[in-house]
Amino acid sequence: MNSVAIIGTGLIGASFGLALRKAGFDGAIAGVSSEAATSAAVAAGAIDRGAPLGEAVAQADLVFLSQTIGRILDTLRHLDPLVRPGALVTDAGSTKGDIVDAALQNVSRCQFLGGHPMAGKEKRGAAAADPDLFRGCTWVLTPAEPAELSTAAAAGFVAWLRRIGAHPVAMEPAEHDRVVSYTSHLAQMASTALAATVAESVRPEDLCAAGSGLTDMTRLALSSYDLWRDILATNAPEIERALAVYIQKLEHMRENLRTRQLQQEFERGAAVAGRLRRTV
């Protein structure tokens, strides 16, 4: 891999560029975004220069789409005439079904391999980029067919993911969307709902009585709706199912506040929380 084009030089895209540099990549890295975003990414050392889409991808061995989901889908509709045959196109979208389908319909001159790094921050932009953002994190790959992971381009990309400290894991696109509706999207919705409930029920001056638990539980509520709008829209059926299960669990807990049935829920919850902390 000698040349990379990062389409979308915000937090994830700029962090990927920084991670490649830290891992020893010495090839060219071009960025495609707004003038302000590419300038910030250049200043951070994440890319060498900003460029128009066609110029950036024409010679790139790897094209990394790190935009919002809606913009990834739009880019995929226009990318095929511009890419170099033999290149690998991948993405960092938080849902995979629509993206993989769009790639199958629109990308034919080179390989597409869906991806989702399970990493991020509440802050946005290249100024918040971190070369270690992906270290120790799962990077889900969602090939349309298992054989797509065996190509030379995919193997080279996976090798670089390991060099930046990520842990590649393969999932079918539909299974990815089902799983992350619980492991990621439900967490965001629960955090936002909790913060909104507190906002509607407690005066701002009474937040002085809040402990660290509320701060921990509402961390994700700092996330931008602009980022989450496309995620919710493209995985709505799975998120609806996850929310229904969660609401049912909350109803069960509400109905058993005075019984010992909640002991099992506390124990089950503590087991999952403990396992998560052993794997991060």
Side-chain angles (χ1 to χ4, degrees):
M1 187 171 77
N2 298 311
S3 178
V4 174
I6 298 176
I7 318 303
T9 58
L11 172 69
I12 298 298
S15 293
F16 183 64
L18 290 174
L20 286 176
R21 288 296 189 218
K22 186 173 180 178
F25 179 73
D26 58 3
I29 304 178
V32 179
S33 196
S34 68
E35 184 177 350
T38 54
S39 295
V42 169
I47 63 173
D48 300 318
R49 62 187 179 91
L53 179 64
E55 179 183 333
V57 305
Q59 300 300 321
D61 299 310
L62 175 69
V63 178
F64 182 61
L65 308 180
S66 52
Q67 307 151 287
T68 61
I69 292 172
R71 290 182 177 177
I72 290 173
L73 293 171
D74 185 62
T75 300
L76 286 171
R77 297 183 188 105
H78 300 91
L79 195 61
D80 202 53
L82 308 174
V83 294
R84 183 183 66 77
L88 178 71
V89 178
T90 188
D91 77 298
S94 299
T95 63
K96 298 270 58 92
D98 286 2
I99 289 174
V100 172
D101 286 346
L104 287 171
Q105 294 170 19
N106 293 282
V107 179
S108 59
R109 297 182 70 207
C110 66
Q111 182 182 356
F112 176 83
L113 178 61
H116 180 196
M118 304 304 297
K121 296 181 181 179
E122 295 75 45
K123 296 180 180 179
R124 302 173 69 183
D130 181 354
D132 294 318
L133 184 67
F134 311 111
R135 186 163 298 280
C137 294
T138 297
W139 194 301
V140 182
L141 299 172
T142 57
E145 298 291 340
E148 294 175 6
L149 289 173
S150 300
T151 67
F157 176 57
V158 169
W160 276 107
L161 291 183
R162 292 197 171 103
R163 289 184 196 179
I164 68 175
H167 302 304
V169 172
M171 286 186 180
E172 295 181 354
E175 179 64 4
H176 166 275
D177 288 356
R178 185 193 73 81
V179 169
V180 298
S181 71
Y182 288 96
T183 62
S184 176
H185 306 164
L186 181 59
Q188 176 66 53
M189 299 296 280
S191 181
T192 297
L194 174 59
T197 300
V198 171
E200 294 169 359
S201 306
V202 174
R203 298 176 301 171
E205 57 267 31
D206 292 333
L207 291 176
C208 65
S212 60
L214 185 62
T215 302
D216 293 343
M217 289 289 292
T218 56
R219 178 180 65 84
L220 293 177
L222 294 167
S223 300
S224 167
Y225 174 72
D226 290 342
L227 175 66
W228 276 89
R229 177 182 56 219
D230 290 352
I231 298 173
L232 302 177
T234 55
N235 204 28
E238 294 295 349
I239 296 172
E240 287 170 358
R241 279 188 278 271
L243 282 170
V245 173
Y246 187 52
I247 290 168
Q248 184 178 29
K249 182 65 68 178
L250 289 173
E251 288 287 356
H252 171 71
M253 297 181 74
R254 182 178 65 82
E255 293 167 1
N256 288 279
L257 292 174
R258 296 175 178 83
T259 75
R260 288 185 59 86
Q261 288 201 33
L262 289 190
Q263 181 176 350
Q264 184 180 29
E265 306 299 341
F266 271 72
E267 291 172 350
R268 183 181 292 117
V272 171
R275 184 171 183 177
L276 285 170
R277 282 152 180 79
R278 289 194 296 272
T279 58
V280 295

